[in-house]
């Protein structure tokens, strides 16, 4: 009886759990000039959070 309740509870939690997926995309490095006129290449990553 307890085993059946645990299995059913696990299945319900799996069905109710939201799908979490994070997708990242590389973006070409961007040239940035600081306040004291120093040029720096900054690597960047785009984050796409899909519900």
């Amino acid at each position: 009886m307890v085993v059946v309740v645990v299995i059913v509870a696990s299945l319900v939690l799996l069905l109710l759990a939201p799908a979490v997926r994070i997708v990242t995309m590389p973006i070409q490095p961007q040239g940035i000039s600081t306040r004291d006129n120093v040029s720096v290449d900054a690597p960047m990553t785009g984050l796409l959070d899909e519900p």
Side-chain angles (χ1 to χ4, degrees):
M1 180 74 173
V2 174
V3 174
V4 174
V5 171
V6 170
I7 292 173
V8 171
S10 297
L11 290 174
V12 169
L13 287 176
L14 285 175
L15 292 174
L16 295 178
V20 178
R21 182 172 65 166
I22 297 175
V23 179
T24 60
M25 340 181 258
I27 299 174
Q28 295 296 325
Q30 304 292 315
I32 298 173
S33 295
T34 61
R35 289 184 207 165
D36 52 355
N37 292 330
V38 175
S39 296
V40 179
D41 283 338
M44 301 190 181
T45 302
L47 175 65
L48 177 62
D49 186 14
E50 295 182 0

